[in-house]
Amino acid sequence: PGFHHHKKLGFNCNIKGDDPGHLGLGVMKQNSTYQQAEGNFSCEQRSTFMERHELSFTAIERWLHPHEICVTRFVYMTCLRDPLSRIQSAVKFHHHMTEAKVLSWARHHSFDPAAPISSGTPSVDNFYVRSFAGPTVYFKELGGVNASDVSTAKLILEQFQIVIILEN
């Protein structure tokens, strides 16, 4: 079984709710996801979904809940970038972003529940720590990420079998 585009995925290789395009709806508690963003999609449910839809690969492009890491069932990989390069790339990709808007997110706390990954303070203030450490950290105010959050993120990242650094 391989990857099939006609299955119930998001915009690309994501199960709806794991992708930034549908994630905003999940944050606002609408019934368009499998409630992964809220932490209600177990390892068993993900595994069953993938088997039912003949999927051998999916991606999670949002914050992680620690209980979602199922190393006995899945291989985990991530691609990390230099934080400034990641932000610059996002500005080029998302046409609604401007440098001035991105700088404002770094100066004054901002959060857009309709686009929580691609906009607002979390996208420019310790994005990787916020993403790996889970929703409690992801939604912290500007400057709120601390050493304990970094430790939590490291513990999650240590469970990934493959970590790719894109700049080198």
Side-chain angles (χ1 to χ4, degrees), residues 81-158:
R81 297 197 66 180
D82 170 76
L84 292 178
S85 296
R86 188 193 61 74
I87 293 166
Q88 289 169 336
S89 177
V91 169
K92 289 178 187 175
F93 180 77
H94 298 284
H95 302 289
H96 68 279
M97 282 189 194
T98 64
E99 187 175 326
K101 188 181 284 191
V102 171
L103 287 172
S104 75
W105 299 336
R107 292 183 180 128
H108 309 285
H109 184 76
S110 173
F111 181 74
D112 180 0
I117 300 298
S118 62
S119 64
T121 296
S123 69
V124 297
D125 178 45
N126 292 292
F127 177 75
Y128 290 127
V129 172
R130 290 171 180 268
S131 297
F132 286 108
T136 303
V137 175
Y138 194 86
F139 296 110
K140 283 188 170 186
E141 295 284 320
L142 175 65
V145 173
N146 59 44
S148 175
D149 301 329
V150 172
S151 295
T152 299
K154 284 180 178 180
L155 288 173
I156 297 298
L157 186 59
E158 286 174 0

Side-chain angles (χ1 to χ4, degrees), residues 25-38:
L25 298 175
V27 169
M28 296 186 310
K29 307 285 188 219
Q30 296 180 15
N31 294 323
S32 64
T33 71
Y34 298 96
Q35 297 186 340
Q36 309 87 300
E38 291 82 14

Side-chain angles (χ1 to χ4, degrees), residues 30-112:
Q30 296 180 15
N31 294 323
S32 64
T33 71
Y34 298 96
Q35 297 186 340
Q36 309 87 300
E38 291 82 14
N40 297 326
F41 201 55
S42 69
C43 294
E44 180 68 33
Q45 289 171 304
R46 184 174 296 278
S47 182
T48 299
F49 181 94
M50 290 179 68
E51 288 173 15
R52 185 179 306 127
H53 295 287
E54 300 177 348
L55 301 173
S56 59
F57 176 84
T58 65
I60 299 173
E61 294 183 67
R62 59 166 171 77
W63 54 85
L64 296 171
H65 294 271
H67 66 271
E68 288 184 297
I69 305 299
C70 314
V71 294
T72 60
R73 294 178 183 239
F74 304 112
V75 172
Y76 287 86
M77 69 164 282
T78 189
C79 297
L80 301 177
R81 297 197 66 180
D82 170 76
L84 292 178
S85 296
R86 188 193 61 74
I87 293 166
Q88 289 169 336
S89 177
V91 169
K92 289 178 187 175
F93 180 77
H94 298 284
H95 302 289
H96 68 279
M97 282 189 194
T98 64
E99 187 175 326
K101 188 181 284 191
V102 171
L103 287 172
S104 75
W105 299 336
R107 292 183 180 128
H108 309 285
H109 184 76
S110 173
F111 181 74
D112 180 0

